[in-house]
């Protein structure tokens, strides 16, 4: 599974895949008797897909995959050029978070989530009781990952992962997932023809990658298979709840709560890595957006995804559990807000800075290069605004007397250009 989506056409599935790659995978069975040694691979630059397949077959059999399972799974498998295109795709422009949330937490999606909460009440009662995870969070992830089963991908997983293992950017990871996929087929959970998913190999209603399926999927309906593709979605929803529960979800606790920050708040403290008790934040004057006190909890962070000009949120431990599913703040915020809306709570009350022009990828690279040149090292210039870049931005902002909110916008780039970095 279970990464980024903001997919939510299919690109987000990759982010889920990348995040869940850190999850433990099931132990591989011992090599079958008579397994031939792995074929030594020729240099990657000269290796055809057929040569890679022959080499990989030996490695798969050495990892315990039966020859008949491998041959059946690979029957007719060829390179998928579209998978390679998507793997190498680097968009010049990306949507600002408010546009992403408009789509992710749309009225249509909220309405569908509420409808399913009612129609699947008995199933959700069982899942919530068994795994200790709020049903709205499970429904929200289902909505984010596949629009409640409407689109979980139609590319054969063996084909997509084989293509990526042969010539993708993360060959070792793809090969690990491919061997896991073959183990799943060998275990009888699904046939190769039904094992379809995103181009990155994320599968089923809630987009598990193979190693996550092995480690966290459950057979909720007791039919002997962990079927994440079934029409009733029972196994997929229970597996998602099990995943969240295993990473520490607290039933009934919030994930993200919109807050009102006091005048003069130090935005350097609006950082996901700075965690305080809710009482400590309250002592600084932070309140819920409606004026209510914060729900008591340890490990609460304050985040301001659009900087000082946008809404702010208290991110509780459940928020970080969602980020184990997909390590993107925008995704975790979308799941949190969608879950709240399904539960009947209001949406975001604050105003997003919708007039801001988002930076293009090349502008973000320029920003990182200029920050580093001025002594605020971003640890590389890849156009991705992560923790290192936000720290560098805050350092520059503080030194120039600007609000140190870590927000990468057009005004910041203009200030950097003026500074001559």
């Amino acid at each position: 599974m279970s990464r980024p989506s903001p997919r939510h056409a299919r690109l987000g599935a990759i982010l889920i895949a990348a995040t869940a790659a850190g999850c433990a995978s099931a132990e591989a069975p011992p090599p079958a008797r008579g397994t031939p040694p792995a074929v030594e691979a020729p240099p990657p630059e000269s290796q055809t897909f057929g040569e890679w397949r022959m080499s990989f077959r030996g490695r798969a059999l050495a990892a315990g995959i039966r020859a008949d399972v491998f041959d059946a799974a690979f029957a007719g498998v060829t390179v998928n050029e579209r998978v390679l295109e998507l793997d190498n795709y680097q968009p010049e422009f990306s949507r600002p978070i408010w546009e992403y949330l408009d789509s992710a937490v749309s009225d249509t999606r909220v309405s569908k989530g509420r409808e399913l909460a009612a129609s699947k009440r008995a199933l959700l009662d069982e899942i919530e009781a068994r795994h200790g995870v709020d049903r709205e969070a499970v429904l929200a992830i289902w909505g984010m990952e596949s629009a409640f089963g409407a689109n979980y991908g139609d590319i054969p997983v063996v084909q997509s992962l084989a293509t990526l293992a042969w010539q993708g950017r993360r060959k070792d990871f793809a090969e690990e997932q491919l061997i896991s996929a073959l183990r799943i087929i060998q275990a009888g959970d699904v046939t190769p023809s039904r094992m379809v998913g995103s181009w990155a190999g994320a599968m089923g209603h809630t987009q598990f990658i193979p190693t996550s399926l092995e480690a966290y999927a459950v057979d909720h309906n007791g039919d002997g298979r962990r079927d994440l593709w079934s029409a009733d979605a029972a196994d997929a929803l229970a597996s998602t709840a099990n995943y969240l529960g295993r990473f520490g979800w607290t039933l009934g606790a919030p994930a993200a709560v919109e807050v009102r920050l006091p005048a003069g708040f130090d935005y350097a403290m609006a950082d996901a890595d700075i965690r305080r008790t809710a009482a400590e934040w309250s002592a600084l004057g932070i309140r819920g957006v409606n004026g209510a006190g914060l729900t008591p909890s340890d490990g609460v962070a304050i985040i301001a995804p659009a900087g000082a000009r946008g809404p702010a949120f208290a991110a509780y431990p459940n928020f970080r559990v969602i980020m184990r599913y997909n390590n993107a703040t925008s995704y975790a915020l979308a799941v949190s807000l969608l879950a709240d809306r399904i539960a009947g709570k209001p949406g975001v009350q604050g105003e997003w800075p919708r007039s801001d022009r988002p930076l293009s990828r090349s502008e973000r690279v320029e920003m990182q290069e200029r920050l580093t040149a001025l002594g605020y090292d971003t640890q590389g210039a890849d156009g991705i605004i992560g923790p290192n870049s936000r720290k560098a931005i805050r350092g520059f902002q503080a030194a120039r007397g600007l609000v140190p909110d870590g927000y990468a916008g057009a005004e910041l780039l203009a200030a950097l250009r003026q500074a001559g970095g």
Side-chain angles (χ1 to χ4, degrees), residues 29-37 57-58 60-68 186:
R33 288 185 182 177
T35 298
R57 187 178 189 275
L61 268 57
I65 303 302
R66 298 196 313 269
D68 63 310
Q186 184 164 283

Side-chain angles (χ1 to χ4, degrees), residues 115-321:
E115 175 188 318
L116 288 165
S119 65
K120 292 186 176 292
R121 180 174 180 177
L123 170 64
L124 294 168
D125 282 346
E126 294 173 359
I127 290 173
E128 192 172 273
R130 187 173 302 176
H131 300 287
V133 174
D134 297 271
R135 66 192 63 205
E136 293 86 2
V138 174
L139 287 167
I141 287 176
W142 188 18
M144 290 289 293
E145 294 307 326
S146 67
F148 303 108
N151 178 22
Y152 51 67
D154 57 5
I155 301 175
V157 169
V158 171
Q159 182 188 51
S160 61
L161 291 175
T163 297
L164 294 170
W166 170 57
Q167 213 173 67
R169 290 181 297 111
R170 303 175 66 208
K171 297 178 183 178
D172 289 345
F173 172 73
E175 189 161 305
E176 174 195 18
Q177 296 305 315
L178 183 51
I179 288 177
S180 176
L182 293 172
R183 283 200 299 265
I184 293 166
I185 293 169
Q186 184 164 283
D189 286 311
V190 67
T191 62
S193 62
R194 288 190 66 234
M195 184 185 263
V196 295
S198 76
W199 67 263
M203 309 179 295
H205 289 273
T206 51
Q207 296 288 276
F208 274 41
I209 58 170
T211 51
S212 289
L213 188 155
E214 285 197 285
Y216 301 107
V218 297
D219 173 20
H220 183 81
N221 60 15
D223 66 356
R225 294 179 294 115
R226 297 167 296 176
D227 187 351
L228 304 191
W229 300 262
S230 65
D232 65 5
D235 286 358
L237 298 180
S239 296
T240 301
N242 184 54
Y243 184 99
L244 297 176
R246 292 274 293 276
F247 282 105
W249 186 272
T250 300
L251 182 67
V257 175
E258 189 177 1
V259 295
R260 182 184 304 153
L261 302 178
F265 177 76
D266 180 3
Y267 273 86
M269 298 184 71
D271 187 311
D273 292 329
I274 298 176
R275 299 167 191 167
R276 303 283 187 270
T277 66
E280 288 172 319
W281 289 122
S282 295
L284 294 177
I286 296 175
R287 297 289 183 271
V289 72
N290 59 358
L294 300 180
T295 301
S297 176
D298 295 328
V300 181
I302 302 299
I303 59 173
R309 294 174 55 213
F313 303 86
Y316 283 74
N318 279 350
F319 188 87
R320 291 190 292 280
V321 174

Side-chain angles (χ1 to χ4, degrees), residues 58 100 129 262 341 373 383:
Y100 169 62
R341 291 289 310 282

